[in-house]
Amino acid sequence: MSPALEALMQAEGTPYPGKGVMLEPFVHQVGGHSCVLRFGEQTICKPLIPREHQFYKSLPPEMRKFTPQYKGVVSVSFEEDEEGNLCLIAYPLHSESGDLENKDPSTDCEPKSKMVKWSNKKQSPLGPENDNYSKDRSRHSRKEDKIMSYNRDEMQQQQQAEVLYFSLEEGNVVSQIKHNPWSLKCHQQHLQRMKENAKHRNQYKFILLENLTWRYRVPCVLDLKMGTRQHGDDASEEKKANQIRKCQQSTSASIGVRLCGMQVYQSEPGQLMFMNKYHGRKLTLAGFKEALYQFFHNGHRLRHELLSPVLRRLREMQAALEACESYRFYSSSLLIIYDGDPPRAPTRPRHRGGEEGDEDEPSDEEEEEGAFGFPRSSSASSPVVDVRMIDFAHTTCRHYGEDSVVHEGQDSGFIFGLQNLITIISELEDHSAD
């Protein structure tokens, strides 16, 4: 284990005997089907996919400011006690060689200890009445009737609803954001799969990535699936046909972008609005524009001060992608993040990948560095917006020696989506100025 990763596990993770870190659901996941877990305040982790791992390890320098920082690999085990309580625990790997993900995980990822005992806790419903969820969200019952021990009908309604509003009580809004329907669904599905495979395999490799939401009190997150094509070169004919159909039936084909998930805080009515990928697929061009308007609206007014820095980041990203020869970012997403409840004081310092609104002056104050050189959390250092590319499980380029297809030139589908997104947000900015 590298010294940097060891420092990260000690500084950020919830301590666990034997150098382990207890993982928790990541409450701000709004899209994707892979389970994202919270490793620490500034770090998340997700199942390691060799192609995505290769992308992060060979990332072109000009793309680094537009992607989450890669922080390493850990081994995650699915553990339980005699009472049936479950935990996901991350342990350091003995090594991180180039072909590590192709080995039998059980040969090099033995956990350093067994889990401690927990009292039998139930998961709780999506709602502010639950004061203990933040403490118990990483514990899960093994029994089938306890995995979703709260009201099943309510749970199913929340996960099936394509647009959901969650009312918040006045006061500490941050403490009431326990999870969202999509992150909960992904987490439970992943736990169920791990449970079913537990007899055959109980060691999984996860990659550690920068948590792009950690600086924000109430993160508003927009997940956009980019490009006119979503299937990878290695997709089966069935998968290829399915992805082509989804693109043709959504805004992906016409404008190269579709909504994949959204979480936005509307401060005036005091509620969170969630929108999932199933709703995003149904949106027409007019509906997509309306959804973007909703994302930048706080229930009282359009947050027009966010539009200029978002556009600036998108144009910078377009220029960087136009310089990326042979890359294809099939099925990758674009995240736009801002704070729905920003600090009242003006925010001046900028951070890697973030953009200030109307403040371009550098800060006179030195920021205290945390793990990996990131500034420690501070209300004075929160950027106004962040725009990043994520999800590279189907990315390819000529440097990937095993790929049978080598593409030439730019990823025109992704760039086409960026150009249309820039046009739509520019129109929004022009109308807000009228």
Side-chain angles (χ1 to χ4, degrees):
M1 180 172 61
S2 69
L5 181 56
E6 184 175 12
L8 178 69
M9 296 187 77
Q10 293 176 353
E12 284 198 45
T14 302
Y16 201 77
K19 296 185 178 180
V21 170
M22 182 182 296
L23 303 177
E24 303 174 352
F26 179 59
V27 300
H28 301 300
Q29 179 183 2
V30 301
H33 60 270
S34 183
C35 177
V36 180
L37 298 169
R38 182 184 185 274
F39 179 89
E41 181 186 28
Q42 302 177 33
T43 308
I44 55 99
C45 64
K46 59 182 293 192
L48 185 151
I49 298 172
R51 182 174 295 274
E52 182 171 45
H53 187 214
Q54 183 178 9
F55 171 80
Y56 278 113
K57 295 190 73 174
S58 60
L59 190 63
E62 61 271 20
M63 292 300 299
R64 287 176 185 161
K65 66 182 292 188
F66 300 110
T67 60
Q69 184 190 28
Y70 168 76
K71 300 187 178 187
V73 179
V74 291
S75 172
V76 174
S77 65
F78 181 70
E79 304 182 12
E80 63 182 62
D81 66 5
E82 65 274 11
E83 296 178 358
N85 300 298
L86 304 179
C87 286
L88 292 178
I89 310 298
Y91 295 96
L93 292 171
H94 292 308
S95 65
E96 192 182 338
S97 59
D99 62 347
L100 193 59
E101 60 269 13
N102 298 318
K103 295 181 181 178
D104 178 359
S106 62
T107 62
D108 59 2
C109 307
E110 290 299 324
K112 301 286 192 282
S113 73
K114 299 306 290 182
M115 69 170 290
V116 296
K117 295 181 180 179
W118 296 105
S119 60
N120 201 351
K121 297 288 185 179
K122 296 182 179 181
Q123 281 194 334
S124 306
L126 183 68
E129 66 276 7
N130 169 29
D131 295 328
N132 298 319
Y133 182 77
S134 61
K135 292 182 290 186
D136 299 325
R137 59 189 170 188
S138 60
R139 307 166 194 177
H140 307 273
S141 171
R142 183 172 182 267
K143 302 179 182 65
E144 182 65 25
D145 62 339
K146 294 290 184 65
I147 286 181
M148 293 185 291
S149 56
Y150 46 85
N151 188 303
R152 286 176 178 268
D153 291 337
E154 179 184 2
M155 172 66 194
Q156 291 172 354
Q157 289 173 3
Q158 289 168 356
Q159 292 188 352
Q160 291 172 0
E162 295 178 357
V163 180
L164 183 68
Y165 294 87
F166 174 35
S167 297
L168 300 171
E169 296 178 347
E170 292 186 12
N172 188 353
V173 173
V174 178
S175 66
Q176 298 179 51
I177 304 175
K178 310 300 183 184
H179 49 71
N180 69 55
W182 191 259
S183 66
L184 185 61
K185 178 179 180 178
C186 292
H187 187 68
Q188 290 176 334
Q189 288 178 342
H190 191 78
L191 276 177
Q192 188 63 30
R193 286 194 297 268
M194 292 182 76
K195 175 188 171 186
E196 292 170 354
N197 295 330
K199 291 183 180 180
H200 309 287
R201 180 185 182 190
N202 192 29
Q203 295 293 320
Y204 297 83
K205 293 182 180 64
F206 278 56
I207 58 172
L208 298 176
L209 298 171
E210 174 189 3
N211 173 10
L212 301 177
T213 71
W214 79 272
R215 296 171 176 272
Y216 306 99
R217 280 173 43 83
V218 183
C220 295
V221 184
L222 179 65
D223 186 326
L224 299 172
K225 186 74 74 174
M226 302 298 296
T228 54
R229 168 182 162 175
Q230 301 301 325
H231 62 277
D233 292 323
D234 57 349
S236 65
E237 288 301 316
E238 181 182 3
K239 179 76 170 179
K240 179 179 177 180
N242 187 41
Q243 293 291 355
I244 290 175
R245 177 182 54 80
K246 289 177 183 177
C247 288
Q248 290 175 340
Q249 295 177 352
S250 69
T251 54
S252 291
S254 58
I255 61 172
V257 55
R258 74 172 182 256
L259 189 145
C260 193
M262 185 168 87
Q263 166 182 297
V264 61
Y265 176 56
Q266 299 171 336
S267 57
E268 195 67 15
Q271 65 185 11
L272 283 168
M273 181 181 76
F274 303 103
M275 192 177 290
N276 69 23
K277 68 178 182 181
Y278 303 111
H279 184 74
R281 288 178 193 167
K282 298 176 182 178
L283 293 175
T284 61
L285 176 56
F288 179 79
K289 291 180 178 181
E290 175 65 22
L292 279 182
Y293 177 84
Q294 289 178 299
F295 177 67
F296 290 110
H297 202 285
N298 66 4
H300 175 65
R301 68 176 182 87
L302 184 71
R303 296 281 303 276
H304 59 83
E305 71 276 10
L306 302 173
L307 303 180
S308 178
V310 167
L311 287 169
R312 185 159 58 243
R313 286 283 294 170
L314 291 174
R315 290 180 179 121
E316 290 175 357
M317 183 180 292
Q318 179 182 340
L321 286 175
E322 289 173 346
C324 279
E325 167 67 24
S326 88
Y327 272 92
R328 295 296 181 272
F329 300 97
Y330 298 134
S331 201
S332 292
S333 284
L334 188 74
L335 284 189
I336 301 178
I337 309 169
Y338 70 88
D339 200 335
D341 188 26
R344 298 296 174 258
T347 58
R348 298 187 63 181
R350 297 161 72 170
H351 78 105
R352 171 188 174 277
E355 278 285 347
E356 288 289 337
D358 298 323
E359 294 282 343
D360 285 329
E361 295 294 325
S363 170
D364 294 329
E365 299 179 3
E366 292 293 326
E367 293 178 320
E368 181 185 1
E369 283 196 352
F372 290 91
F374 281 94
R376 296 196 182 279
S377 180
S378 156
S379 61
S381 63
S382 296
V384 174
V385 300
D386 205 351
V387 181
R388 308 280 187 106
M389 295 170 62
I390 62 167
D391 295 340
F392 304 102
H394 302 287
T395 293
T396 182
C397 78
R398 64 161 49 98
H399 306 302
Y400 295 7
E402 298 178 359
D403 290 356
S404 58
V405 180
V406 177
H407 299 273
E408 300 292 335
Q410 310 161 345
D411 188 338
S412 57
F414 196 113
I415 293 172
F416 177 64
L418 273 181
Q419 291 171 333
N420 285 311
L421 187 60
I422 289 169
T423 298
I424 294 170
I425 296 178
S426 296
E427 291 173 355
L428 198 59
E429 183 180 40
D430 292 341
H431 290 156
S432 69
D434 293 341

